[in-house]
Amino acid sequence: MFSKSKINEPGPKQAEATPTAAPAASSAPAASASEYKPSAPKAKPPASLLSSDLHITGNLKTSGDIQVEGTVEGDIRAHLLTVGETATIKGEVIADDVVVNGRVVGRVRGLKVRLTATARVEGDIIHKTIAIESGAHFEGSVQRQDDPLTPGGKKAMPAAAASAPAPSAAVKAATAAAKADS
């Protein structure tokens, strides 16, 4: 009914089974094992932090994230830019995501722009989406674009305006004349 199995018993070792083929067999798997290197997903590097006692004159460009606490006189281009409460940036800011807690003097371009209650922005904001918290100080214009990261970005137009043809010069003149008569 029950029989003793040889599953748990150790079998012959690879070198003992084929002593003449062992050197060739052992070198081939070693070579193929060294060629294949499994790649784990790379962790996102932490944001570069510019401390409050740092003053930079010049442009900054990265594909990563930057958190500014000090002063930067120059343009900044990044994936995510966080302007700390003690920070001052004098120059253009271009990033996918921009969070302003401090002061920016210059143009801000971003897919998502957020001005917190402690933000002070003096310059134009070109964005795809924007959030301005109560208490933020802002002087400048706000313009929505589908692609705000490129200087000649495509402006967003309302659906009705996009489908309607532009009025001709004759229509504009007739409208102006009608306003003048009344």
Side-chain angles (χ1 to χ4, degrees):
M1 190 153 101
F2 293 103
S3 65
K4 187 174 181 181
S5 173
K6 294 185 177 184
I7 294 174
N8 294 333
E9 292 179 14
K13 293 182 181 177
Q14 184 75 6
E16 293 174 355
T18 55
T20 56
S26 64
S27 65
S32 65
S34 65
E35 290 173 14
Y36 174 73
K37 294 181 182 177
S39 60
K42 293 184 180 180
K44 184 178 176 185
S48 299
L49 176 63
L50 306 178
S51 67
S52 59
D53 63 341
L54 187 63
H55 181 93
I56 294 178
T57 303
N59 299 335
L60 303 175
K61 184 176 181 181
T62 182
S63 59
D65 303 344
I66 298 178
Q67 180 175 345
V68 179
E69 298 295 336
T71 303
V72 176
E73 292 184 26
D75 299 341
I76 299 177
R77 184 170 187 116
H79 170 68
L80 166 67
L81 174 67
T82 304
V83 181
E85 288 188 30
T86 61
T88 300
I89 297 175
K90 294 181 181 178
E92 184 175 27
V93 169
I94 302 173
D96 291 341
D97 295 328
V98 181
V99 179
V100 181
N101 300 307
R103 184 171 184 223
V104 176
V105 179
R107 180 181 296 151
V108 176
R109 291 181 170 274
L111 294 174
K112 289 195 279 183
V113 178
R114 183 172 149 220
L115 306 183
T116 64
T118 58
R120 296 188 60 84
V121 177
E122 300 171 31
D124 298 339
I125 298 177
I126 302 169
H127 64 90
K128 188 168 184 180
T129 60
I130 189 165
I132 302 175
E133 292 182 4
S134 178
H137 294 274
F138 170 60
E139 293 180 32
S141 67
V142 179
Q143 183 179 14
R144 185 191 183 289
Q145 289 185 355
D146 287 332
D147 187 13
L149 302 181
T150 57
K154 189 176 175 183
K155 293 183 183 178
M157 294 178 63
S163 63
S168 66
V171 172
K172 289 181 183 176
T175 307
K179 287 183 183 177
D181 290 338
S182 46

